[in-house]
Amino acid sequence: MHNPQPILVVQNASKRDQGKRAQNANIHAAKTVADIVRTTLGPKSMLKMLLDPMGGIVLTNDGNAILREVDVSHPAAKSVIDLSRCQDEEVGDGTTSVVILTGELLTFTEPLLKKQIHPTQIVSGFLKTLDDCLEIMEASATTVDLSNTEQIRTVIESCLNTKFSDTWNRIIPPIALRAVSMIAFNQSGPSNKIDIKNCIKVEKIPGGTIDDTAVYDGIVLNKDITHPKMRRYIINPRIVLLDCPLEYKKGESQTLVEITKEEDWDKILKQEEEEVKKMCEDIIAVGCDIVITEKGVSDLAQHFFVKAGISAIRRVRKSDNNRLAKISGATIATRTNELCSFDVGTKCGLFEIKKIGDEYFSYFINCEKPQACTVLLRGGSKDILNEVERNLQDALNVARNVYTSPKLLPGGGAIEMEISARLSERCTETNNMFQWPYKAVAAALEVLPRTLVQNCGANVVRTMTALRAQHASKGNHFMGVNGETGEIIDVTSLGIWDTFAVKQQVLRTAIEATCMIIRIDDVLSATKKNKDPSVQMAANNEGQADRETFGDTRDG
């Protein structure tokens, strides 16, 4: 009888080779995605032209906007693209940096796998290195005085210097700062939770110039009143918000009514009128000036409102209705018979309707401690407005991060070089297997300052060598790269800062994503179960034949 051991050895070797091939393919896919956005980092970055399936064209250097439109099929590449989306949802900035750093970490992980170091050991080393990185970042952080608006505005300007709209840097940072500070100081919830998505409305109106952009302490809606005789200008209005239609409710299912007399038809119409009249009387009884509903308003209801001197606005979005509740103090009612005087909003100072271009806009402004605001963007074309809105969202997120976590780190690649230098020192003190992950992370962190130098056209080797020499001695953690010229400078002198929350999230996301990818040793494709009865019967017959031949082993 032969010994089956050599066959097992060959099979195990084959599985190891298959795992290595899968890891190499995943690493190569992640590096390819990183190369797509590598040239969009920094103030001298290049633009990407995106062609959508409908024939539209978008010009941008926003990493998340670019990767969102890229069509990839490799699962590892898709997971790297998801990192950009998660980074944007969490902190709103650093979407390009996290993808580039992840690709570079995987590049330096590949030699470790070739040295036969097991992936689980590499992962343990990376996670230990992450703790050290966060510790070094804490030591290098600078606390921000939230009352110093000039310093916060400088941080926002530093963020926008790498964007397409840096020519409008004098306009966007003050707008973002005013909008976020308004929400931060007036909200009723915890100060570390600033919901800019639901509390700050951005209204884009083509026409005019970017200088016409303004922030309003209230809500601006692209809506007009439902009847021309309703009031268009009300000081200190009393507002009622509804989530129900002000019209006769139609049946949910098909309804047939058989009428034999002409008087019966008049009774049905009168019943509908009485129903609408009762709803309007409930609203008029609370003494309001404006009625806003998410549903429709019938002609009969408009008639009653005009007689009572009440203005009505219909078909408002749910999100806008919630913002109106925040600024006016009103409670959104689902039925008119539930309304009482406490549900009426009285904190709005002015209601006014203005015409901009060919459309009408309703202004609810001059509010008392508004918990929501509106940014009215003006620009020459829709393409410019879309790009300015993307950059404004980044500025809003930067301001939000400063208010929620008032710490700053030196930008221009300075903090990455500082962490790299300190990790290299700790690497020499580590004699176990962890020294290789330390070296890999230290080398990978240099990719961000190196990319800044490459994108501005400076000498990469000379600049990086000089920058390493600066960070070799402690106390030079403010030395970074000027993204405009490629020179080594004290980045704080030019006001180049990064928020602590963004850099922390970039490091965490990149290292943890790298750990996840290198632990993948195979990529499997799931198949749908065959539901054809004839095929299933043939499979059952084949299984029965096998059991008759070899015996049923289910009982042991």
Side-chain angles (χ1 to χ4, degrees):
M1 181 179 290
H2 66 279
N3 190 359
Q5 188 65 26
I7 298 177
L8 295 177
V9 173
V10 172
Q11 289 177 345
N12 291 336
S14 175
K15 286 186 176 294
R16 285 198 299 268
D17 293 340
Q18 185 178 358
K20 290 179 181 178
R21 286 195 298 270
Q23 289 170 343
N24 293 335
N26 292 338
I27 292 173
H28 178 71
K31 288 161 60 176
T32 303
V33 173
D35 290 338
I36 294 175
V37 296
R38 193 181 296 271
T39 58
T40 64
L41 184 70
K44 291 294 184 180
S45 60
M46 306 296 287
L47 297 177
K48 302 291 183 183
M49 179 181 288
L50 305 176
L51 307 176
D52 61 25
M54 303 301 295
I57 297 175
V58 178
L59 294 174
T60 183
N61 64 347
D62 183 82
N64 184 47
I66 294 169
L67 295 177
R68 194 169 55 234
E69 302 296 332
V70 174
D71 184 21
V72 296
S73 58
H74 197 283
K78 289 182 179 179
S79 66
V80 173
I81 290 176
D82 284 341
L83 300 181
S84 175
R85 178 182 56 80
C86 295
Q87 180 79 12
D88 184 66
E89 292 177 355
E90 187 67 24
V91 291
D93 198 14
T95 55
T96 305
S97 301
V98 70
V99 175
I100 294 175
L101 184 56
T102 303
E104 196 71 6
L105 280 168
L106 289 169
T107 300
F108 283 96
T109 303
E110 196 170 9
L112 303 185
L113 296 173
K114 291 181 179 179
K115 290 180 179 179
Q116 304 299 325
I117 301 178
H118 199 273
T120 55
Q121 293 177 323
I122 300 175
V123 168
S124 300
F126 276 167
L127 296 179
K128 188 175 186 303
T129 308
L130 176 60
D131 295 335
D132 289 354
C133 291
L134 297 178
E135 179 185 334
I136 297 169
M137 287 175 60
E138 287 279 358
S140 304
T142 302
T143 305
V144 183
D145 182 9
L146 294 181
S147 61
N148 187 354
T149 58
E150 185 64 26
Q151 187 179 14
I152 301 176
R153 187 178 62 80
T154 303
V155 177
I156 301 174
E157 287 181 357
S158 175
C159 162
L160 292 185
N161 279 335
T162 64
K163 305 298 180 182
F164 181 58
S165 62
D166 60 343
T167 54
W168 306 309
N169 233 358
R170 58 186 175 82
I171 299 173
I172 293 182
I175 288 173
L177 181 58
R178 185 187 170 194
V180 174
S181 60
M182 190 183 301
I183 304 304
F185 294 127
N186 292 331
Q187 69 176 1
S188 57
S191 59
N192 61 344
K193 298 290 183 182
I194 302 176
D195 189 1
I196 62 176
K197 181 178 180 181
N198 295 319
C199 295
I200 300 178
K201 176 180 173 62
V202 179
E203 190 73 44
K204 297 177 290 184
I205 306 177
T209 63
I210 196 69
D211 294 319
D212 299 329
T213 299
V215 180
Y216 292 96
D217 54 350
I219 299 300
V220 179
L221 301 177
N222 188 5
K223 293 287 181 181
D224 193 8
I225 51 177
T226 58
H227 195 281
K229 291 186 178 180
M230 292 178 177
R231 290 187 290 172
R232 293 173 172 266
Y233 186 90
I234 304 174
I235 298 176
N236 296 324
R238 293 171 59 83
I239 301 174
V240 167
L241 302 179
L242 298 175
D243 186 17
C244 60
L246 297 176
E247 53 192 2
Y248 189 76
K249 187 176 181 182
K250 300 178 179 61
E252 296 181 0
S253 58
Q254 186 176 3
T255 306
L256 298 177
V257 179
E258 185 177 349
I259 300 175
T260 57
K261 299 180 183 180
E262 186 178 351
E263 295 82 8
D264 294 340
W265 178 254
D266 293 336
K267 290 180 181 179
I268 293 174
L269 293 179
K270 189 174 181 180
Q271 185 179 1
E272 291 185 3
E273 292 177 2
E274 290 293 332
E275 184 73 20
V276 174
K277 185 178 180 180
K278 178 66 172 62
M279 290 190 290
C280 294
E281 289 175 348
D282 292 337
I283 296 173
I284 296 171
V286 297
C288 65
D289 299 312
I290 302 173
V291 176
I292 302 171
T293 178
E294 300 175 22
K295 306 294 192 304
V297 179
S298 66
D299 294 340
L300 185 60
Q302 295 178 35
H303 167 71
F304 290 127
F305 289 149
V306 170
K307 289 180 64 176
I310 297 175
S311 300
I313 297 176
R314 62 184 173 187
R315 308 205 185 283
V316 176
R317 294 179 180 176
K318 183 72 174 178
S319 57
D320 289 335
N321 214 19
N322 291 332
R323 294 188 185 105
L324 286 168
K326 291 178 181 291
I327 65 160
S328 64
T331 304
I332 300 175
T334 56
R335 288 188 294 181
T336 56
N337 57 5
E338 296 178 349
L339 283 172
C340 61
S341 59
F342 299 104
D343 297 326
V344 180
T346 58
K347 295 182 180 179
C348 182
L350 175 65
F351 164 71
E352 183 181 8
I353 291 182
K354 295 181 181 180
K355 186 177 182 181
I356 303 177
D358 295 332
E359 299 189 18
Y360 290 92
F361 291 85
S362 300
Y363 287 71
F364 298 86
I365 54 177
N366 298 341
C367 302
E368 177 189 344
K369 292 185 178 181
Q371 298 181 27
C373 64
T374 301
V375 179
L376 208 63
L377 283 183
R378 304 300 307 276
S381 66
K382 289 184 178 180
D383 293 333
I384 292 177
L385 283 176
N386 290 334
E387 184 62 22
V388 172
E389 184 192 15
R390 281 191 288 267
N391 300 155
L392 175 63
Q393 291 295 339
D394 291 340
L396 292 172
N397 282 297
V398 171
R400 188 268 312 270
N401 293 334
V402 172
Y403 275 101
T404 54
S405 179
K407 292 180 182 179
L408 299 179
L409 292 169
I415 187 61
E416 286 82 9
M417 289 301 298
E418 177 67 16
I419 296 174
S420 176
R422 303 289 80 82
L423 287 180
S424 298
E425 292 177 357
R426 300 187 182 189
C427 174
T428 57
E429 301 171 359
T430 305
N431 297 322
N432 54 16
M433 188 66 70
F434 288 161
Q435 63 177 324
W436 298 107
Y438 269 82
K439 288 181 180 180
V441 175
L445 284 170
E446 293 185 0
V447 68
L448 296 178
R450 185 170 66 248
T451 304
L452 289 175
V453 177
Q454 287 174 343
N455 290 344
C456 66
N459 190 312
V460 178
V461 176
R462 186 180 304 168
T463 305
M464 291 302 297
T465 303
L467 194 57
R468 288 191 200 97
Q470 290 282 353
H471 285 270
S473 56
K474 295 183 179 180
N476 290 332
H477 59 280
F478 292 117
M479 302 304 294
V481 178
N482 184 349
E484 298 281 350
T485 62
E487 299 175 350
I488 299 175
I489 56 166
D490 182 353
V491 292
T492 58
S493 62
L494 294 181
I496 303 176
W497 294 96
D498 284 319
T499 57
F500 184 85
V502 170
K503 286 298 179 183
Q504 183 186 47
Q505 187 68 23
V506 166
L507 268 178
R508 285 184 181 276
T509 305
I511 292 180
E512 290 175 359
T514 303
C515 295
M516 177 189 66
I517 291 175
I518 64 175
R519 291 183 64 181
I520 299 172
D521 65 348
D522 203 355
V523 179
L524 306 176
S525 177
T527 58
K528 293 183 179 180
K529 294 182 178 180
N530 197 335
K531 298 183 179 180
D532 190 351
S534 60
V535 176
Q536 185 66 34
M537 185 178 297
N540 293 338
N541 293 337
E542 183 179 353
Q544 180 66 27
D546 291 341
R547 284 192 294 272
E548 292 175 356
T549 304
F550 301 103
D552 195 345
T553 59
R554 286 177 295 178
D555 295 333

